[in-house]
């Protein structure tokens, strides 16, 4: 397609006509290695100066230099590895639109979205498991608390019955609703630090993919 055109142009006026700049992958242009690139892993990097201090990004994006918490490890065709944030992967996908790298960039972005979804689900599942343990440990107290009818389609019931039914039958969204309610009760009654852990449930600590498989 374009190559024969470019070739002809180069052949005829090689010396004085500047050829259009070659299509270079943005990561390649940033000296991060040779295309194609692919995501080979990810991890969460958090930094906290001292207990109670705000949690900050614990890594920097090799492409833009911004601090990042969700770190995606990318490997180039010449086997160099570097780390980027999801924003840059999204940006690179946009930049690659209409180029030879479009498909690859889209694949990388899709893969990152898949990892994010998976991490989010795993975090919710962990939270639900902690809340289920709280419910189990405080059955009697929860049986005494009335759950307002608006949760139950018109019938007042105990929080215990509601929570147990939801944890057994509801989807993730419904289970998160139970988590909020039980965590609030737990905090009110000083049952323990279930809510404190929430910050860590934002992500899986590491969802490493097979970094060695299919190395190109
Ligand atoms: Zn970046």
């Amino acid at each position: 397609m374009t190559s024969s055109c470019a070739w002809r142009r180069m052949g005829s006026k090689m010396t004085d006509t500047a050829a259009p700049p070659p299509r270079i992958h943005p990561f390649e242009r940033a000296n991060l290695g040779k295309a194609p690139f692919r995501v080979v892993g990810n991890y969460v990097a958090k930094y906290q100066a001292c207990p109670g201090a705000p949690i900050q990004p614990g890594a920097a994006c090799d492409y833009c230099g911004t601090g990042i918490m969700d770190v995606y490890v990318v490997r180039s065709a010449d086997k160099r590895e570097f780390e980027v944030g999801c924003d840059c992967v999204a940006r690179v996908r946009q930049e690659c639109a209409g180029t030879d790298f479009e498909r690859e960039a889209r694949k990388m972005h899709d893969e990152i979205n898949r990892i994010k979804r998976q991490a989010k689900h795993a975090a919710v599942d962990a939270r639900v498991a902690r809340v289920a343990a709280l419910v189990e440990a405080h059955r009697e107290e929860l049986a005494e608390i009335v759950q307002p009818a608006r949760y139950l389609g018109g019938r007042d019931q105990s929080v215990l019955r509601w929570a147990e039914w939801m944890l057994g039958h509801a989807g993730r969204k419904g289970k998160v609703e139970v988590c909020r309610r039980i965590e609030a009760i737990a905090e009110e009654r000083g049952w323990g630090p279930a809510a404190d852990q929430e910050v860590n449930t934002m992500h899986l600590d590491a969802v490493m993919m097979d970094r060695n498989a299919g190395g190109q």
Side-chain angles (χ1 to χ4, degrees):
M1 327 166 281
T2 55
S3 59
S4 67
C5 241
W7 178 250
R8 211 172 303 132
R9 208 178 304 126
M10 277 173 73
S12 59
K13 287 192 155 196
M14 212 162 148
T15 46
D16 55 80
T17 305
R23 296 285 208 177
I24 297 181
H25 192 290
F27 285 158
E28 201 171 314
R29 205 189 307 131
N31 286 322
L32 293 170
K34 298 235 174 290
F37 300 91
R38 65 200 176 93
V39 182
V40 291
N42 78 298
Y43 65 96
V44 175
K46 289 175 185 169
Y47 171 76
Q48 195 174 26
C50 59
I55 291 170
Q56 295 173 329
C61 174
D62 288 328
Y63 184 62
C64 72
T66 306
I68 49 175
M69 273 195 224
D70 283 325
V71 182
Y72 296 93
V73 183
V74 176
R75 189 189 287 160
S76 66
D78 55 340
K79 304 220 158 65
R80 287 175 58 186
E81 280 187 10
F82 57 95
E83 301 178 343
V84 294
C86 57
D87 290 350
C88 278
V89 173
R91 200 172 308 141
V92 163
R93 177 185 181 169
Q94 275 176 357
E95 273 182 51
C96 287
T99 73
D100 295 345
F101 307 110
E102 180 168 355
R103 219 174 130 244
E104 172 206 326
R106 187 178 59 224
K107 217 172 131 192
M108 194 185 297
H109 192 217
D110 288 349
E111 178 62 13
I112 279 175
N113 284 334
R114 190 191 64 79
I115 292 170
K116 276 177 154 178
R117 249 191 332 269
Q118 190 188 335
K120 210 170 150 190
H121 286 176
V124 169
D125 292 347
R127 183 180 179 188
V128 168
R130 274 198 312 277
V131 163
L134 273 179
V135 170
E136 190 54 38
H138 299 275
R139 289 181 61 90
E140 279 133 51
E141 279 174 87
L142 290 172
E144 313 256 295
I145 306 172
V146 173
Q147 182 72 339
R150 65 189 159 90
Y151 288 94
L152 306 162
R155 285 170 302 139
D156 280 353
Q157 269 185 6
S158 71
V159 167
L160 179 67
R161 279 197 69 180
W162 171 74
E164 285 190 333
W165 190 90
M166 292 289 277
L167 291 174
H169 299 85
R172 280 200 178 86
K173 209 177 153 200
K175 286 176 183 172
V176 167
E177 199 186 326
V178 175
C179 289
R180 277 195 219 107
R181 180 87 167 107
I182 299 295
E183 283 162 0
I185 294 171
E187 202 181 318
E188 240 172 64
R189 304 193 169 208
W191 284 351
D196 290 353
Q197 293 169 20
E198 196 168 329
V199 70
N200 295 323
T201 66
M202 295 298 290
H203 310 282
L204 271 189
D205 281 328
V207 185
M208 291 305 295
M209 289 154 31
D210 186 2
R211 298 177 65 153
N212 300 312
Q216 298 161 16

